[in-house]
Amino acid sequence: MNRLLTTVVGTVVESWQELRVHRGRVVLSLIGVTIAVASLAVVVGFGALAERVTAAFNEQYGGRPATYQVTGTSSAASSAGSSAGDGTGAAAAADADALDRELRAGAERYHVRFATEASWTQRPVQFPDGVTLAQGVTVDPAYAEMHRVRVDDGSWFTEDDRDRLAPALVVNQAFLDRLGSPDVVTHPVVRLPGTPDVTAVVIGRYVSSEYDTEPMFYQLADSVATANAVASPDDGSQRLFEVWVPEHDGKAVAARIASDAERALGPGWTVDATRSDAAGSVDGDPLGALRWVIAGVAVLVLVLGGLGLLNVSLVSVRQRIREIGIRRGVGATAGRIFVAVLLENVLGTLVAGGVGVMVGAAVLGNGTVRGLITNGVDVGGAPFPVEAALIGVGSALLVGALAGFLPAIVAVRVKVIDAIRY
């Protein structure tokens, strides 16, 4: 065991010493490898970052795989000039409430853990500079997990918030800016004009894009405050219900919830379940073509760098024939010579790969570059993916092994007598 360890350590030390002796030529040959590895690392990192951005956008608006949107219409209400989902008037509001109750009962019946109302609405908000009609979404606590809503300051809704006598709101930064940028932990209040007027309490600020400049808010569904704070039954808002179910049998579960609600509501009702997340409608990778093109260029640069390293290694071995022959004459085995020459290239490309990965990490870690890729969306996670670093270093080692194999064969075939005559 000690002999094996000594041989391995000795071979590595010899390879490193030879690398230092010929560092001028090696450095020049490894420039191409470094550039190629940096390009490859940037490509992989860009792809991973772009996937996270795409997933964040899709899941914020459509939900996680597999999210189904369940809606219903009543022919009786439609004949009266309204509908359960998007109509107006007291009858339409009553129909929408009935549908909501049945859908919630169905979700509970089939043990759906994540179910939420997701109804877009507009409400007048009294800001210091005047009343503004702000966009909002009526949701349940599960909505945050289903749509990747992240709260920076304060907190998201809990079941206890349903009993509040004042509406709890989770707002974006633009909403807080219009209020005068108060601290969320102080629970700032805002008046919501309507019939009757109510005072809402801001309990949290959610993460949004820097380009999200209009005030928006979330309010909690099925709460005491929400029921008593409807500005008008004729605001034209649409009542929507969503369930997040497993992909393998989600379609069947959503269909059962819809059909059960349709039977319970009686004749004249039509209830449909439609998949809303992007995974259900987008086939393939939308960034695949771009990544293949950039990866192809990076691989080409990597091959050219490997050819340059191969050329330098062959020249180096030719110039060291006498040295190699003497080492063979004093007892160095063919395997020891082969591994030593091969490791010279592997160690060189390992260093080049490490430098290339650091360059790639610096590029993607730059705030300006990252902002251009993410478009202001907070995707979380490490700024430089681990898989990009592993692929970069792994490709560098592969190039070093391939570029060192032929010179190592040449070194092994050197004869002692020919080396002495050289």
Side-chain angles (χ1 to χ4, degrees), residues 21 24 47 71 76 103 117 178 320 339 380:
V21 171
T71 58
L103 294 179
E117 183 176 342
R178 290 288 298 273
R320 294 164 53 198
V339 173

Side-chain angles (χ1 to χ4, degrees), residues 128-200:
D129 57 352
V131 177
T132 299
L133 197 62
Q135 290 280 351
V137 189
T138 304
V139 300
D140 289 274
Y143 184 92
E145 186 68 21
M146 295 170 64
H147 288 266
R148 290 177 57 129
V149 179
R150 295 178 57 241
V151 177
D152 256 359
D153 295 327
S155 61
W156 183 251
F157 303 114
T158 64
E159 290 295 333
D160 293 337
D161 291 323
R162 298 191 193 273
D163 297 327
R164 286 176 175 265
L165 298 181
L169 301 181
V170 178
V171 303
N172 65 353
Q173 184 61 49
F175 194 105
L176 285 179
D177 291 342
R178 290 288 298 273
L179 283 179
S181 302
D183 194 339
V184 174
V185 298
T186 64
H187 288 179
V189 297
V190 59
R191 189 170 69 88
L192 306 177
T195 307
D197 284 4
V198 295
T199 299

